[in-house]
Each structure stands twice: as structure tokens, then as C-alpha cells.
Amino acid sequence: MCAQTKGMNSEVCRVVLKEFKISCATIILREDITVDQFIDVIEGNRAYLPVLYVFNKIDALTIEELDILDQMPNYVPISSQHEWNLEELMEEIWERCNMMRIYTKPRGQVPDYDEPVILHSEGNPTVEEFCNRIHRSLMDSFSHAWVWGKSAKHQPQRCGREHRLMDEDVVSIVKKAG
């Protein structure tokens, strides 16, 4: 049980379970929750989703008001009129959605930074998953890949299908001859 600061403890847990006529249960709390969240889980009728608050018109706020907003979790202040903090908002969305951009590089050309291949970053996708995202039959003629970026030990690095990619890597696929 992790530290509970929002009102949950073993006695409250026992009383709530008694109300729901649950007499024998093992409860493991892996995060700090409220009593209402605990009841919702027992009832099974709520789903809690991550949230990101976007506050617009920060150009109209004072420094004191911004300091108050700064105490709030999960927020990004922006000004769409002046285009302030829009890059930070985009980065936060990418991070929260666990997405990563992998750029393609045709042989003898510059990388295509305009249209990346979007992959989910849970477990860092492999070169094989990247190839399958482009086209299912690509792995049939796959020889190796050249990778530039954070996942490469040197620039470029020759990699096989099991190499784990990272955000904003550049990949050039080399097919088998013949």
C-alpha cells in the first residue's frame, strides 16, 4: 500500500467493503486515491482517464494569477492569439499519448521531416514494427536498416530487425539484393 494522503486508510477501506457486503478481500493500493475513487472501483462503473488542462489567454493574466495556476497539476498555459507555448503543448500531448515520431530516409536523399511514421512508444518499438507500419510485405525483403538518432550508438548505425527505436530517430531501410 502506498502512502495515502487523500483520506484512504485501512479502517476506511474495511468500512467501505463492509457496506458492499465484501467480507474477505485483499486490497492493494498502488496510488494515492480518494474514498470516492475506491468506491467507484468496487462498483466498477467509472473509468478514470488522464487529463491535460490547456489554459488559453495567458497574455491577459498577471504574474500572481500565473503563480496560482502553476500550483495546478497537468496543465499547459498558452496564448493562441500570440502563439505562446504552442510547442510545449504539442510536446506534452506527444508525451501523454505515448507516441513517437520516426522519420524515413530514402537512399541518397535527405530525411523526410515533414511526415513521420507515428508509433506508440510503450516498450520502444523495433525496426520490424516500424517496417510493418509502412507495409506488411517490407520485412520479406528486409536486409538491414541504417539508424540515426538517440537509439544509435554511432551515427549512422547498421541495425537488424530487433533494434529498439527512440523518438525522432531517422531510419533508412535496405532491402535484400535480387
Side-chain angles (χ1 to χ4, degrees):
M1 185 169 163
C2 75
Q4 298 295 310
T5 61
K6 298 179 181 175
M8 272 302 290
N9 59 41
S10 56
E11 182 59 27
V12 171
C13 181
R14 189 186 63 73
V15 170
V16 169
L17 290 173
K18 188 176 181 182
E19 282 291 318
F20 284 92
K21 296 181 173 60
I22 299 173
S23 60
C24 185
T26 301
I27 305 297
I28 300 172
L29 301 177
R30 293 193 172 104
E31 62 182 85
D32 192 11
I33 62 169
T34 64
V35 177
D36 290 334
Q37 289 173 319
F38 182 63
I39 292 170
D40 291 342
V41 168
I42 291 172
E43 288 180 336
N45 62 358
R46 299 281 193 291
Y48 289 91
L49 302 174
V51 66
L52 178 64
Y53 298 105
V54 180
F55 295 125
N56 194 15
K57 299 186 179 184
I58 61 166
D59 52 326
L61 298 177
T62 65
I63 297 295
E64 293 81 19
E65 291 170 327
L66 281 173
D67 288 340
I68 292 170
L69 285 179
D70 197 37
Q71 296 171 6
M72 216 176 143
N74 306 324
Y75 87 100
V76 176
I78 67 165
S79 172
S80 58
Q81 181 181 11
H82 297 292
E83 298 182 359
W84 293 346
N85 265 5
L86 296 181
E87 281 298 316
E88 182 182 334
L89 173 63
M90 289 302 295
E91 287 300 318
E92 193 69 27
I93 290 170
W94 278 101
E95 185 180 315
R96 299 268 176 151
C97 292
N98 292 324
M99 295 187 300
M100 60 191 316
R101 299 155 285 217
I102 307 296
Y103 300 103
T104 57
K105 181 189 176 304
R107 185 188 305 177
Q109 297 179 20
V110 295
D112 180 13
Y113 291 111
D114 293 330
E115 294 194 28
V117 176
I118 308 300
L119 299 171
H120 287 280
S121 63
E122 289 156 15
N124 282 18
T126 62
V127 170
E128 183 173 6
E129 291 167 353
F130 169 75
C131 290
N132 287 335
R133 183 64 180 250
I134 295 173
H135 197 279
R136 288 278 177 212
S137 67
L138 192 56
M139 285 311 294
D140 296 337
S141 59
F142 177 83
S143 171
H144 62 276
W146 292 104
V147 178
W148 293 259
K150 294 183 233 172
S151 71
K153 293 179 183 172
H154 46 85
Q155 309 296 324
Q157 179 180 350
R158 182 180 169 148
C159 301
R161 63 180 64 209
E162 296 301 317
H163 178 78
R164 297 259 173 214
L165 299 170
M166 298 177 96
D167 190 28
E168 297 185 346
D169 276 355
V170 176
V171 178
S172 180
I173 305 298
V174 179
K175 294 182 177 182
K176 294 176 187 171

